[in-house]
Amino acid sequence: LLKSARFQDNLEETEVLLDLISRTEGSNAELRFLEERFFLVLKKLAHKKYRDIYKAVYLKATKIISREGALQRLHSLNEVALRRFNG
């Protein structure tokens, strides 16, 4: 499904991914795939140029992502983003 999807920009893709993550039950391969894709796209937004977009997506993600390993990864990525914003 996602392989054939075309998104206007990274923001749109993160919104779709977070929606799919919120609807996916359990800790299965599909959920892990969606999370991995989300982190890849979020990392693209972790630059000064996209600071406001990144912050909005990050806050939304903290409310949706609940799997412990994924939360740790989200917080680690945020540390990288903060260093980039302040560097």
Side-chain angles (χ1 to χ4, degrees):
L1 178 69
L2 272 179
K3 291 178 183 177
S4 62
R6 298 285 182 246
F7 299 100
Q8 186 174 10
D9 55 26
N10 290 326
L11 174 59
E12 181 183 25
E13 187 170 358
T14 60
E15 290 172 343
V16 169
L17 288 165
L18 283 175
D19 183 55
L20 291 170
I21 289 168
S22 71
R23 297 177 196 215
T24 304
E25 297 290 326
S27 181
N28 57 35
E30 180 183 4
L31 178 59
R32 290 176 191 268
F33 170 79
L34 293 170
E35 289 170 345
E36 287 297 318
R37 182 66 194 167
F38 172 76
F39 292 128
L40 178 76
V41 179
L42 184 61
K43 189 174 181 179
K44 293 178 184 180
L45 295 173
H47 294 279
K48 285 183 182 183
K49 176 176 167 179
Y50 305 112
R51 180 186 311 212
D52 293 337
I53 294 170
Y54 172 87
K55 286 180 179 181
V57 173
Y58 174 79
L59 287 175
K60 186 174 181 181
T62 61
K63 296 173 185 170
I64 293 173
I65 293 176
S66 59
R67 201 173 57 76
E68 185 62 33
L71 278 173
Q72 289 175 354
R73 184 148 180 216
L74 180 62
H75 295 306
S76 294
L77 178 57
N78 192 53
E79 289 176 12
V80 171
L82 292 175
R83 283 194 300 269
R84 288 177 178 178
F85 297 156
N86 296 322

